[in-house]
């Protein structure tokens, strides 16, 4: 049985000044510690579970009165008498309260809230590009939030994730993989912060049993225009108004990917040397370095007609805000142009060698016109281009990785003269319609 010291009064405690530990009586093991003038109560006891000496803080003198300290100590002594360790009991209680709090927090933590905080985290710490951010937000808003947005993350199951992927599973395999990857990132981030503790709802081993087997498909290429139809298309495009039409015209004249044209910025234009220098980070094959595009006379005239004055850093900005055109701007434009051409009995703007899903001629795509049609033109034997231009120069213009067959060590800058000649010849051909 612990020895109980003589009880000190509140007045006696107030008079104590020297640093040290004092037994104050009333309850066995009730002590007062004075350290640098600060006084605090604690209970010294032997754990009935481990038989080790322990100390449990009861409160600072002045905040906790002498009576309160003795009452607390008496309660703790009763617990010890029942074979409990007060410190361990308090830790267990705090852990239970923490788990209950987290459970309530998780229940109210929706996928929408998770996505907001994840994007904020990526903005602050990941250093992702504006392009990656725009793609993430676009896919998030289109595919994930409409189905999972209001769901508590603890209620998201593999079956729910399958609902997100199912509409794009068969026809857009690459996109469904990216959406799945986005969800995995978000839930891994939530798990790291203990917002989510359940089984991984994006586990591919589970999802494979919830999604149908993909049908084997015939490889499809981007719909291009027959080389002979390119001038007719460019003539029709020149007659259309709007920033999307000018941007598509620029993409075709420069034989660049639509994303590069849509995200082109004024600072990338070298007016003196007549070059468009696309940073490597914005290209598909970044290891090839910056893409230096020689600008034809027609491309320079187009840029000057737009002018560099305006609110946006983009050459072809979206209608609202300092942002690039969407990837759907070109597609809708070509669909309208194709319909108008068909109404005039001109045959439309379609790929003569490809069919759409419904069996009709496939409408040409921005990528097909700007790049595939250019590549075909570059070696067209009827035009004599197979003798005028080399495959290697055409591949360089497209910023493709030059294989050993084309002598991959060839210095790209040394081919700038040939590339400039090719791009000017292409622009001349684009506007050769009578």
């Amino acid at each position: 049985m612990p020895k109980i010291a003589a009880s000190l009064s509140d007045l006696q405690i107030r008079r104590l000044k020297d640093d040290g530990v004092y037994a104050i009586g009333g309850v066995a093991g009730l002590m007062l510690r004075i350290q640098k003038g600060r006084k605090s109560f604690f209970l010294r006891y032997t754990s009935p579970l481990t038989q080790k000496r322990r100390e449990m803080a009861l409160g600072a003198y002045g905040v906790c009165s002498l009576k309160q300290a003795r009452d607390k100590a008496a309660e703790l002594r009763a617990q010890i008498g029942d074979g409990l360790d007060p410190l361990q009991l308090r830790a267990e209680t705090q852990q239970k309260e923490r788990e209950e709090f987290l459970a309530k927090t998780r229940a109210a933590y929706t996928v929408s809230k998770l996505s907001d905080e994840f994007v904020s985290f990526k903005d602050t710490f990941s250093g992702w590009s504006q392009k990656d951010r725009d793609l993430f937000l676009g896919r998030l808003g289109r595919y994930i939030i409409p189905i999972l947005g209001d769901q508590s993350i603890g209620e998201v199951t593999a079956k729910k994730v399958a609902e997100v992927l199912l509409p794009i599973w068969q026809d857009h395999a690459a996109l469904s993989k990216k959406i799945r990857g986005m969800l995995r990132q978000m839930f891994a981030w939530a798990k790291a912060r203990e917002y989510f503790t359940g089984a991984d709802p994006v586990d591919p081993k589970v999802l494979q049993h919830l999604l149908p087997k993909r049908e084997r498909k015939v490889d499809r290429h981007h719909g291009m225009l027959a080389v002979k139809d390119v001038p007719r298309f460019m003539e029709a495009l020149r007659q259309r108004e709007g920033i999307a039409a000018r941007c598509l015209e620029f993409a075709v004249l420069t034989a660049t990917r639509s994303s590069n044209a849509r995200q082109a910025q004024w600072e990338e234009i070298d007016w003196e040397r007549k070059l468009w220098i696309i940073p490597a980070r914005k290209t598909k094959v970044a290891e090839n370095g910056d893409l230096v595009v020689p600008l034809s006379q027609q491309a320079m005239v187009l840029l000057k007609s737009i002018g560099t004055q305006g609110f946006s850093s983009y050459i072809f900005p979206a209608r609202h805000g300092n942002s690039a055109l969407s990837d759907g701007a070109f597609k809708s434009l070509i669909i309208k142009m194709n319909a108008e051409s068909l109404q005039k009995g001109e045959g439309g703007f379609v790929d003569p060698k490809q069919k759409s899903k419904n069996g009709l001629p496939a409408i040409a795509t921005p990528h097909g016109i700007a790049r595939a049609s250019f590549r075909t033109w570059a070696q067209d034997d009827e035009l004599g281009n197979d003798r005028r231009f080399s495959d290697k120069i055409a591949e360089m213009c497209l910023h493709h990785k030059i294989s050993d067959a084309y002598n991959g060590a060839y210095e790209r800058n040394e081919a700038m003269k040939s590339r400039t000649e090719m791009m000017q010849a292409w622009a001349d051909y684009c506007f050769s319609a009578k």
Side-chain angles (χ1 to χ4, degrees), residues 304-363:
K304 291 175 181 177
S305 71
I306 297 172
T308 59
Q309 300 300 317
F311 65 91
S312 179
S313 60
Y314 291 100
I315 298 175
F316 308 100
R319 187 174 299 177
H320 303 292
N322 184 24
S323 59
L325 285 170
S326 70
D327 56 359
F330 290 171
K331 183 177 180 181
S332 60
L333 175 61
I334 295 174
I335 290 174
K336 290 177 183 177
M337 291 176 63
N338 179 65
E340 291 173 2
S341 177
L342 289 173
Q343 288 175 356
K344 295 176 182 178
E346 296 175 347
F349 299 113
V350 297
D351 187 330
K353 297 182 180 180
Q354 282 207 75
K355 299 291 184 182
S356 63
K357 294 178 184 177
N358 56 15
L360 296 174
I363 298 175

Side-chain angles (χ1 to χ4, degrees), residues 253-254 275-276 288 290-296 374 377 389-390 392-400 410-426:
L253 287 174
T254 54
L275 300 175
W276 173 24
N288 280 356
D290 293 347
L291 170 53
V292 181
V293 183
L295 295 173
S296 63
F374 164 80
W377 165 87
F389 306 117
S390 72
K392 178 171 60 181
I393 298 302
E395 290 295 290
M396 287 181 176
C397 287
L398 293 172
H399 204 233
H400 285 167
Y410 192 94
E411 174 55 54
R412 291 175 180 272
N413 289 337
E414 291 181 5
M416 188 56 67
K417 182 176 183 293
S418 297
R419 290 166 60 193
T420 300
E421 291 174 356
M422 178 178 279
M423 296 312 298
Q424 184 58 58
W426 167 244

Side-chain angles (χ1 to χ4, degrees), residues 59-133:
Y61 178 67
V63 176
C64 176
S65 68
L66 176 58
K67 182 179 183 308
Q68 289 172 327
R70 282 180 171 143
D71 289 345
K72 284 184 182 180
E75 290 176 12
L76 296 175
R77 275 295 170 193
Q79 293 175 4
I80 295 167
D82 291 337
L84 302 174
D85 185 326
L87 277 172
Q88 182 175 322
L89 185 62
R90 183 171 70 179
E92 291 172 353
T93 301
Q94 290 174 341
Q95 178 63 21
K96 184 179 179 182
E97 290 174 349
R98 181 172 178 272
E99 288 175 355
E100 289 175 351
F101 172 78
L102 285 173
K104 290 180 181 178
T105 302
R106 289 170 189 145
Y109 199 80
T110 64
V111 174
S112 287
K113 184 173 177 60
L114 166 61
S115 64
D116 289 343
E117 293 192 7
F118 180 73
V119 169
S120 178
F121 168 80
K122 293 277 283 182
D123 284 342
T124 305
F125 297 105
S126 77
W128 59 353
S129 68
Q130 186 64 42
K131 176 183 175 182
D132 289 340
R133 188 181 193 277

Side-chain angles (χ1 to χ4, degrees), residues 40-41 58 107 135 146 162 180 186 307 309 331 384 394 416:
S40 59
F41 296 111
L58 302 178
L135 283 172
R180 187 178 64 191
M186 289 164 57
Q309 300 300 317
K331 183 177 180 181
M416 188 56 67

